[in-house]
Every structure is written in structure tokens, then in C-alpha cells.
Amino acid sequence: MDAKKLFIDTLVGQVRALDQFGTWVNKSDEELLQEKYIRTKEDLKNIPIIADIDEMQIKDIRLIFQAVALAFEKITGVMCSVVMEMSHEGFGRVVVFAGKIVLCEKFFKDAHRYSFRTYEDLEKEGEKFLINAQETYDKYKNI
């Protein structure tokens, strides 16, 4: 399966699983992801440079990496874990690992502004994370 499509499908599944009251049922998958993850330059101008991050934003960021982990599990059958540490100011780190192998990681210094300019950027980033995770695992799994 195409890594980009697998990532997006997995991310949509993760987001929709949190919709316990059916609030997002009438939104298309693309509309849903755009609402959560896409910010234009104008949107970012309205977000202060220094601010606290709320719990919902932290969960939205975590969902991206959970989608990478779950998509990787679907491809390889290898169980993954996501560890995320985030301060209230938006400084932190997320790591996806399988066994002793770190599949992907990302540092944040202003997580309250973490977003993508376009839907295509979100797709590309997810695809990149997933492909790099596969390559890293294949390189180090026998060590």
C-alpha cells in the first residue's frame, strides 16, 4: 500500500475514533484533517510566538505520531510505542520506537504553532516519517 495513503487513512481513523458524539461525522476526511492540522500564514500570525499549549493540541500532535506507529505496525507486524513529553510552554519531544530501535523522533520548541501549510504538506510529512521508519527498522533490526 502507498505510504502516503496508509498514513492519512490511519490518521483519519485515529482522529475519528475520538469523536464519541458524532460531531465530525458529516465532515470529509480531508476537511477534518485540514481543521485540525492546516494553518495558513495568516492563521499563524494570530498565534502568539510565546504561549502555553493546551491539552487538545498536545493530543492532536500525538495522533500524528500514533498514526505513524500504527501504519508501521500494519506494514511490518512489529509493535511500536509512542513516547511524548511536552511542557506547558510547548517544549518537548516525541519518539516512536519498535523494540530498541527509534523509528522517528521530533523535537518541539513551539508546539502550539505546529501545523502544516497545506494538506499536501501533511501527506508528505507523514509519508516521509513512515518511509524513514521502515528504512531505519530494516537497517537495524538484526543488530
Side-chain angles (χ1 to χ4, degrees):
M1 179 180 253
D2 178 35
K4 188 184 302 184
K5 181 173 176 16
L6 179 59
F7 169 76
I8 291 296
D9 290 348
T10 307
L11 181 58
V12 167
Q14 294 284 303
V15 172
R16 289 205 183 273
L18 297 177
D19 185 21
Q20 50 186 312
F21 301 112
T23 309
W24 303 322
V25 82
N26 293 325
K27 292 186 181 191
S28 72
D29 294 344
E30 189 170 336
E31 287 174 329
L32 181 59
L33 294 181
Q34 283 186 340
E35 183 178 312
K36 286 200 157 296
Y37 297 110
I38 309 304
R39 302 285 180 269
T40 64
K41 287 184 179 182
E42 293 75 31
D43 293 337
L44 287 176
K45 286 179 184 176
N46 296 326
I47 300 173
I49 300 292
I50 299 172
D52 287 351
I53 186 169
D54 67 19
E55 289 299 315
M56 203 54 182
Q57 288 173 308
I58 293 172
K59 287 179 185 175
D60 288 343
I61 293 170
R62 185 180 179 87
L63 284 176
I64 290 174
F65 294 93
Q66 283 180 194
V68 171
L70 185 56
F72 180 84
E73 287 179 21
K74 287 178 182 178
I75 293 169
T76 63
V78 176
M79 192 170 178
C80 298
S81 296
V82 177
V83 176
M84 184 169 177
E85 182 75 28
M86 187 73 62
S87 75
H88 67 93
E89 295 173 321
F91 293 94
R93 180 182 187 193
V94 63
V95 179
V96 179
F97 61 95
K100 297 178 183 178
I101 302 171
V102 173
L103 302 175
C104 69
E105 65 177 337
K106 181 148 181 78
F107 290 92
F108 296 95
K109 63 177 182 174
D110 54 356
H112 65 285
R113 296 172 58 89
Y114 182 69
S115 59
F116 302 90
R117 299 305 145 254
T118 66
Y119 183 77
E120 291 75 24
D121 289 345
L122 172 62
E123 288 179 319
K124 286 178 193 172
E125 186 77 4
E127 179 183 40
K128 183 177 81 174
F129 278 138
L130 192 51
I131 289 171
N132 287 343
Q134 286 179 275
E135 290 172 355
T136 301
Y137 186 78
D138 289 341
K139 183 176 180 180
Y140 294 107
K141 68 183 176 185
N142 294 324
I143 293 178

